[in-house]
Amino acid sequence: MSNHQRAGNQSAPLLGGMLARALHLGASAAAALPARDLVVADHFAALCAAPHRCPSYGLAPGCPPHSQSPAGFRAELADYRWVLVFRIDVPAADLRTGKRLEVARRIHALAATLETEAPGFGFTRARGLAAGSCFELYCADRDRCAVLAEHLPCPHQDRVRPSLSAVGVDFTALTAAVHWPLAPGGESSSQPATEPALSMLAGLVLLAD
């Protein structure tokens, strides 16, 4: 047995505990894949700026141009062994209303909690990322980000994490890798036509054991 296979076998119970914890915290589903299989592409991060600039562009440390670059994130992945990815299913129509923000806050909080709890499951290092901009979720009523404008600690650092899109994570490739098929437009293909179409928001946690 190779060292890599031995390490993978030793990680299995640890991953099982983390996956169960994600579900307990409210995830609709959770899965794991090797960190080397996570697809990161520069053009996904570039979409934050053009052709239609995201309203949160430049407003938060976890969003471009302040966030880590896709190239930097790809290099960092070499220091991690696993990616735990989780999702929260939601009616697709809700993502076009204020309910999207509620679900995105849950995604960020879940990523932050799993990152914090990872050492208790045997992982020496962890880093969470989540869907959406932290400024939009928690500081939209402020004129500016306290971290960027005033160099102060983030008042929400225990519940927010950097954006998945900002570092170039290919969400379609990620869902395919963990066998979460998406219908055209990002809606879940597993629902009968007579039921409300489902979509999802997701987050992930990088893990090193």
Side-chain angles (χ1 to χ4, degrees):
M1 179 184 295
S2 68
N3 289 337
H4 178 76
Q5 289 173 319
R6 186 177 298 109
N9 290 341
Q10 292 172 346
S11 296
L14 309 181
L15 283 171
M18 287 287 290
L19 293 170
R21 181 60 175 156
L23 297 175
H24 179 76
L25 291 170
S28 301
L33 71 158
R36 65 178 180 275
D37 292 344
L38 189 66
V39 179
V40 178
D42 292 10
H43 69 276
F44 286 107
L47 291 175
C48 296
H52 304 292
R53 178 172 292 195
C54 172
S56 297
Y57 181 84
L59 298 182
C63 292
H66 308 294
S67 61
Q68 182 181 31
S69 69
F73 185 64
R74 280 192 294 269
E76 184 182 4
L77 282 176
D79 295 329
Y80 290 91
R81 183 175 297 278
W82 300 103
V83 175
L84 183 156
V85 56
F86 60 89
R87 76 179 199 235
I88 293 178
D89 295 335
V90 59
D94 285 359
L95 296 184
R96 296 186 288 272
T97 72
K99 293 182 179 180
R100 176 182 63 85
L101 301 182
E102 297 176 15
V103 179
R105 290 187 190 103
R106 290 171 58 196
I107 291 288
H108 276 254
L110 211 165
T113 299
L114 290 172
E115 176 190 303
T116 302
E117 294 185 356
F121 287 89
F123 292 99
T124 59
R125 286 180 296 109
R127 184 188 178 201
L129 296 99
S133 166
C134 61
F135 188 86
E136 178 188 33
L137 298 180
Y138 288 101
C139 295
D141 59 341
R142 296 172 56 98
D143 292 333
R144 53 190 181 177
C145 170
V147 177
L148 295 178
E150 304 168 48
H151 306 290
L152 296 173
C154 174
H156 307 290
Q157 58 187 328
D158 62 335
R159 69 186 78 173
V160 299
R161 289 300 180 266
S163 164
L164 286 171
S165 301
V167 297
V169 172
D170 185 331
F171 184 69
T172 300
L174 177 59
T175 55
V178 295
H179 308 292
W180 293 344
L182 298 178
E187 296 174 352
S188 170
S189 62
S190 62
Q191 297 297 314
T194 55
E195 294 186 9
L198 289 181
S199 189
M200 67 176 78
L201 291 181
L204 62 81
V205 182
L206 305 177
L207 299 168
D209 52 14

